[in-house]
Amino acid sequence: MAITDATETQAGADVAAVQGAWPFEAKPLSPLMGAEVFGLDAAQPISDATRDAVLDALNRYKVLVLRDQDLTPAAQADFTRCFGELEQHVNREFRGAGVPEVHPVNNLDENDKPARGRNIGNYSWHTDKSYMPLPSLATLLYAVQLPPDGGDTEFADMEAAYAELPEARKQDLQPLRLWHSWERSREKSGSRHATDQEKQDAPPVNHPLVRTHPGTGRKVLYLGNHSSHVDGWPVERGEALIDELQTFATQDQFIYRHTWKPGDMVIWDNRCLLHRAVANFEMDKHVRILNRTVVRGDLPV
Ligand code: OGA
Ligand code: MN
């Protein structure tokens, strides 16, 4: 695949270029995206230079995996705050006890027993909080308790997918805007329906279908399960376009699948990735608990 070859070569060159420039070590996890980060303790305060290096590494690798972390919710919130404003969850059930900006992500039912759980929206491809006027820059997800195996998370590269589209198609897509809706997203994923409060807190917004990543200047597809239809088009025609593009953009060659290890904190770039949880574990038997913080980003342009 041409894409993979090009990325591989560039990854090699970039690693050489930044060696010594970052106050941590970044080891690529796949030719497409992702790097393991060693030598960064998210429980300790970090300097502005380290923060900038993390953002630089995120622009480069899209997914960063900090190994062997030991984080209380408060420490995770403090670390996340270095990168920008934290987002509360629209779903008030998912505002963490004690530290409301830390969202519990798990497969527990009302009685704290393993089940399909309440986070089923996470099993559809999406980019976090695209239904907000200022959607997320990055999400930080920290593994608290993992099933014996499985419970992976997949990431799809919307920059690589866009790059593979024919030039004429890119031109056609350029002017389009998609509506994103918390309410519609919940319906599509089979989650409990949005409450009146939630609809008031997160009314639908529209964003460009093709956005320019503010950190790299590269164009990416911006869609996912929160997107509902194309502005100015009949709803069904827009739904069909979103379906078609998303099916294209989530093919194997655009995906990195993360297999969690205890102590992992994964940081991903919501501006250029779709992601989803993978239901590859026995959900009614094993517990999977993660803590999530979300950094607000810029207006997509
Ligand atoms: C999220 C999310 C995926 C997972 O926390 O935003 O989509 O694998 N999580 O739990
Ligand atoms: Mn998510």
Side-chain angles (χ1 to χ4, degrees), residues 89 103 105-106 119 121-124 126 128 139-141 151-155 260 268 270 275-278 288 290-292 294:
H89 212 296
H103 316 146
V105 172
N106 60 56
N119 293 107
N122 285 353
Y123 292 87
S124 303
H126 64 283
D128 287 335
T139 299
L140 294 80
L141 197 58
D152 300 343
T153 306
E154 285 187 327
F155 300 93
W260 292 84
W268 68 81
N270 281 304
H275 64 277
R276 67 172 178 186
V278 184
R288 179 180 187 264
L290 306 109
N291 281 337
R292 171 192 198 246
V294 181

Side-chain angles (χ1 to χ4, degrees), residues 17-49:
V18 299
Q19 221 128 55
W22 291 340
F24 45 78
E25 198 192 329
K27 210 170 126 222
L29 279 160
S30 86
L32 184 65
M33 71 169 105
E36 279 176 293
V37 169
F38 299 98
L40 180 60
D41 181 355
Q44 299 300 322
I46 57 168
S47 66
D48 290 355

Side-chain angles (χ1 to χ4, degrees), residues 80-92:
T80 308
R81 216 169 274 118
C82 298
F83 302 97
E85 256 184 89
L86 272 68
E87 283 283 5
Q88 300 255 35
H89 212 296
V90 173
N91 183 346
R92 289 171 187 234

Side-chain angles (χ1 to χ4, degrees), residues 225-244:
N225 193 61
H226 304 320
S227 66
S228 57
H229 60 287
V230 177
D231 187 43
W233 283 21
V235 171
E236 279 172 21
R237 185 173 166 221
E239 286 174 341
L241 177 71
I242 292 169
D243 262 11
E244 183 224 320

Side-chain angles (χ1 to χ4, degrees), residues 195-248:
T195 64
D196 288 342
Q197 174 79 59
E198 290 168 358
K199 287 187 240 178
Q200 192 181 317
D201 289 347
V205 293
N206 69 65
H207 297 301
L209 165 61
V210 179
R211 69 178 286 192
T212 302
H213 189 289
T216 64
R218 300 202 190 103
K219 288 188 177 173
V220 307
L221 288 172
Y222 195 61
L223 63 184
N225 193 61
H226 304 320
S227 66
S228 57
H229 60 287
V230 177
D231 187 43
W233 283 21
V235 171
E236 279 172 21
R237 185 173 166 221
E239 286 174 341
L241 177 71
I242 292 169
D243 262 11
E244 183 224 320
L245 287 174
Q246 209 163 290
T247 301
F248 169 79

